[in-house]
């Protein structure tokens, strides 16, 4: 089993260490902030062997060069974004396999937030690292992609098994929940989840990770088939991309 250690970074980012106990291989998912990543490595007694980047934004790849210089680790990222990933050594594309010690991850290209965004899926451990593509009750802003692309990318993530544990890169859940209840006010699973989120945040606890099953039941950005959502958006019977695009547009102005 992979050991996963979650690290609050910057204002609202999460970094993650992924450790293979069989071989000692240890990856950081993105490099939002060097000091807390190094503190976590020291606390666990792990040596950093890999940096696995989801996308090029500074709060995800900003620590690449410093950590690579310190640990002489391999930097892994999207082939189509190779020129924007500092220090990249291994450039991967959709369907490629990344080996981390005795474990393997499948690369899933998920353009939309950025054009070169990728996710890492460790099938044997049922965990996925999705960066800024899928959030708990939300999704990433469309900085470089179209609603069509993001809708398709979210569908690729949602095709993973319901039990999959999903690690997203930001603690945005409370704000996402405030929006979600405006577009699906009568969803009982959402109402229940909002209470749980408020309790967690009031106790200073993270709402990440989430799961595919929980997002499927509650996240409006992956619920374009919901009759209530469509009705609230005045898009009853519209196609999935149109419903997603309008949901995203409203959240941008919420
Ligand atoms: Zn980003
Ligand atoms: Fe980010």
């Amino acid at each position: 089993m992979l050991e996963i250690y979650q690290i609050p970074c910057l204002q609202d980012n999460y970094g993650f260490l992924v450790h293979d106990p069989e071989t000692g291989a240890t990856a950081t998912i993105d490099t939002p902030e060097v000091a807390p990543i190094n503190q976590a490595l020291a606390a666990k007694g792990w040596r950093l062997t890999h940096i696995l980047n989801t996308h090029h934004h500074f709060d995800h790849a900003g620590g690449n060069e410093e950590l690579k210089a310190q640990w002489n680790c391999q930097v892994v990222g999207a082939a189509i974004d190779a020129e924007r990933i500092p220090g990249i050594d291994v450039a991967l594309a959709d369907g490629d396999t990344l080996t981390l010690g005795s474990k393997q991850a499948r690369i899933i290209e998920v353009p939309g937030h950025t054009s070169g965004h990728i996710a890492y899926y460790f099938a044997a451990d049922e965990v996925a690292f999705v960066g800024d593509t899928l959030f708990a009750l939300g999704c990433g802003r469309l900085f470089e992609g179209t609603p069509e692309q993001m809708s398709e990318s979210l569908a690729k993530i949602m095709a993973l098994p319901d039990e999959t544990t999903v690690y997203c890169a930001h603690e945005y859940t409370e704000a996402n929940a405030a929006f979600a209840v405006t577009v699906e006010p009568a969803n009982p699973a959402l109402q229940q989840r909002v209470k749980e989120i408020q309790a967690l945040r009031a106790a200073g606890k993270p709402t990440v990770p989430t799961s595919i099953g929980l997002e499927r039941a509650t996240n409006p950005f992956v619920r374009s088939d919901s009759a209530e959502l469509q009705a609230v958006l005045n898009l009853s019977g519209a196609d999935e991309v149109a419903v997603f695009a309008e949901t995203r547009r409203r959240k941008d102005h919420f």
Side-chain angles (χ1 to χ4, degrees):
M1 282 284 286
L2 286 170
E3 233 185 283
I4 296 167
Y5 190 90
Q6 186 160 327
I7 313 162
C9 293
L10 305 173
Q11 280 291 102
D12 51 31
N13 278 78
Y14 287 120
F16 307 97
L17 296 181
V18 182
H19 177 73
D20 172 31
E22 283 179 46
T23 61
T26 303
T28 179
I29 306 296
D30 289 328
T31 57
E33 196 180 3
V34 171
I37 292 171
N38 274 330
Q39 281 161 19
L41 288 163
K44 300 301 287 185
W46 296 343
R47 284 190 323 107
L48 190 67
T49 56
H50 294 74
I51 292 170
L52 308 184
N53 282 126
T54 62
H55 65 297
H56 75 90
H57 284 158
F58 188 76
D59 63 316
H60 298 263
N64 276 22
E65 278 166 338
E66 193 177 339
L67 284 167
K68 184 178 177 179
Q70 183 184 342
W71 292 96
N72 194 29
C73 54
Q74 276 205 326
V75 178
V76 179
I80 58 171
D81 236 2
E83 73 288 352
R84 296 197 292 185
I85 304 287
I88 192 167
D89 299 300
V90 181
L92 300 175
D94 197 54
D96 282 352
T97 298
L98 166 85
T99 298
L100 177 70
S102 67
K103 307 293 184 181
Q104 298 193 315
R106 175 158 60 87
I107 304 306
I108 307 174
E109 286 181 351
V110 285
H113 177 68
T114 67
S115 54
H117 198 303
I118 55 175
Y120 296 84
Y121 174 50
F122 291 87
D125 285 78
E126 298 188 304
V127 297
F129 296 91
V130 299
D132 287 359
T133 298
L134 177 67
F135 291 127
L137 290 180
C139 77
R141 285 179 182 267
L142 306 186
F143 288 124
E144 299 177 5
T146 63
E148 287 79 2
Q149 282 178 316
M150 189 56 141
S151 182
E152 198 177 308
S153 293
L154 290 169
K156 285 165 87 173
I157 293 172
M158 295 308 293
L160 301 177
D162 275 358
E163 308 71 52
T164 309
T165 302
V166 177
Y167 292 87
C168 34
H170 289 271
E171 180 61 62
Y172 289 158
T173 316
E174 218 167 10
N176 289 341
F179 171 75
V181 296
T182 67
V183 290
E184 266 201 317
N187 178 343
L190 176 59
Q191 292 164 2
Q192 174 62 31
R193 188 176 182 193
V194 170
K195 285 185 205 149
E196 292 165 8
I197 287 162
Q198 287 167 345
L200 283 169
R201 295 311 292 154
K205 291 179 180 162
T207 64
V208 173
T210 177
S211 72
I212 293 294
L214 187 54
E215 295 312 310
R216 194 185 310 289
T218 56
N219 183 334
F221 296 93
V222 295
R223 291 179 51 77
S224 293
D225 59 346
S226 155
E228 184 190 19
L229 174 63
Q230 294 179 4
V232 166
L233 301 178
N234 296 312
L235 286 172
S236 291
D239 71 71
E240 247 176 67
V241 173
V243 175
F244 169 76
E246 177 62 10
T247 308
R248 186 62 259 179
R249 195 191 67 78
R250 290 204 184 193
K251 175 65 165 63
D252 288 343
H253 299 101
F254 182 66

